[in-house]
Amino acid sequence: MSTAPGRSQASSYRSPQVEGTPMNTPALTDSPDHAAPGERTRTRWVAPAQVLVAALMWLASVGVFIAIPLEQMPLYLAGRHFLLDPTSMLFVLVINTVFLGISVYLYSRERTTPALQRDIRSRVVLMLLFVLVVNLGVLSNHLILMWTLIEVSTLCAAPLVARGDAPSPKGVAWRYLLYSVMTLAITFIGFMCLAQSAYLRGVDISFAIDQLSLSLTHQPDGWQRLGLTLMLFGLGGKLGLAPLYSWLPETYEGAPTSTSALLAAVQFNVSVVAVFRILQIFQGFESGFVAQELLVMGYLSLVVAAIQVMAARNYKRLIAYACVSSSGVIALGLSVGKAAAYGVVLYVVSNAFVKCLLFLTAGRLRSVYGTNDVAPLSGVIRVLPFSGALFGVGIFVLLGFPPFASFLAEMLILSGIVQAGNLMAFSLMCVMLTIIFVATGRAVFPMLWGAAHGERPSVRESWITALPKIGFVIVLIMLGTYTPDAFTDLLRAVAQSIEG
């Protein structure tokens, strides 16, 4: 996708670059990475078609949300294989809203990027298949069906990761695939342990979400506890929780911008739904054990994230480790249960939008400066006034500044931890978030507002590219200040379902 380093420049022409490819990379007008006029004509409709499909999916999800009140849920579909309840409704809304923004961004980049035009068909097909599978996964009423669909989404995402600009993008994609297969295999072994537990007790087991609890026992049962441990451990790996987190920074950094946003804001959420389903199923069963496992993974993730953020000298990797930190906060909140449940749900929703905002803006910085390293960048806000400002806003949201939703969510989670009497978790979370705050500010703020290295003219930015990012900022402000009553009720319903 990007022009190989060291190629000689055949002419003074410099084409717009593929997302994530530096603007100052030499380009050949006759390079195979550049679309011929005839090919451009044949693919001109592809990116707009993706935007249209994404818009229709978003409108459909909003229409269902408006048309079906919470009192009528749950609704079963396709022979009870799929389920529309507050949890699936919330995440279908979030996923399709985020995907619409990513589609608009990709369309704006494809219009001026010949290298992206070359493989736009396969990229769009994979992205549409990916989001369709994720939507079905969120709606699944069966844990094994959901597990299968998460696996299929991984297979769709791996070729997209391989289109990145890492030194060995295919290697990054293979490692992402192998880690995903490993974490999902651990989850499946957990299912087998639950089946063994039921078999030894002479109980029939169904992995339907609304029936599995009938197969569980309140009595001490090693197989049941082992199954629960492995399911949470495997899905925690998909969320980037320590210790199975190492795939996440490499993949998020090496993947194309739109793919990083898909993984961080779309696939992440279907894995969150899987964890929520397990908590809903195990309400009243092994609640203390669940809390301890989530607490340990949350502790480890925050510590790892704080250490790695202090060492990060790459803004895209810094965002990735901030995602590990966010997963740790979610795990700590879930370990508390009722007191922090609403804060956790709000935090998950707001994180989908802030991750998307940051990765899409980071892609714009990469396309202009040609590097993901922080050191060569200074005075970004003078060269890219709009993208620089939006990146700064995204960092403020990530660090939990008011009036954004992340601030309110973190306060609710911390309040819940205090109410639960876990002062150690409260202290650790405060200390680690403070370290992350200082380390992130030290790296990013000079990059945005420092003295520029040499003279660089201001770059004109397309309003279409900025449109989805502005939309994400508006959503984050609304979630932190005023949320419509219908959406607040939806958040509360989801929080009640996981409070334990």
Side-chain angles (χ1 to χ4, degrees), residues 339-470:
Y342 185 85
V344 169
V345 176
L346 181 61
Y347 191 82
V348 171
V349 172
S350 66
N351 257 266
F353 295 103
V354 70
K355 290 174 184 177
C356 219
L357 170 64
L358 284 170
F359 277 119
L360 296 186
T361 309
R364 181 61 176 150
L365 300 185
R366 165 74 182 180
S367 69
V368 172
Y369 286 92
T371 180
N372 290 331
D373 293 335
V374 171
L377 276 65
S378 188
V380 169
I381 206 161
R382 288 186 287 276
V383 178
L384 291 165
F386 206 78
S387 290
L390 284 174
F391 193 80
V393 169
I395 293 296
F396 286 135
V397 178
L398 190 69
L399 296 177
F401 276 70
F404 303 105
S406 56
F407 170 76
L408 177 60
E410 286 183 1
M411 293 301 102
L412 290 171
I413 293 171
L414 287 169
S415 174
I417 292 173
V418 171
Q419 290 179 45
N422 194 337
L423 296 182
M424 180 178 177
F426 175 83
S427 302
L428 180 72
M429 182 171 165
C430 289
V431 170
M432 293 301 107
L433 290 181
T434 301
I435 292 173
I436 292 169
F437 172 86
V438 173
T440 303
R442 185 186 63 181
V444 171
F445 295 152
M447 180 184 91
L448 295 176
W449 290 287
H453 300 324
E455 292 295 326
R456 186 185 285 266
S458 178
V459 177
R460 182 177 177 272
E461 301 185 70
S462 166
W463 67 270
I464 299 178
T465 307
L467 187 62
K469 304 170 193 174
I470 295 173

Side-chain angles (χ1 to χ4, degrees), residues 301-314:
S301 301
L302 282 173
V303 172
V304 166
I307 293 171
Q308 295 293 347
V309 167
M310 285 191 292
R313 297 296 179 266
N314 175 309

Side-chain angles (χ1 to χ4, degrees), residues 1 18-19 46 50 99 106 115-130 156 159-160 162-164 255-259 262:
M1 295 211 325
V18 68
E19 56 166 335
V46 176
Q50 178 180 349
F99 183 66
L106 189 66
L116 184 56
Q117 295 162 10
R118 180 173 173 266
D119 72 339
I120 192 65
R121 288 183 189 172
S122 59
R123 188 183 294 236
V124 165
V125 168
L126 287 168
M127 291 178 70
L128 290 175
L129 182 59
F130 175 89
C156 295
L160 293 171
R163 287 167 162 80
T257 294
S258 57
T259 304
L262 279 176

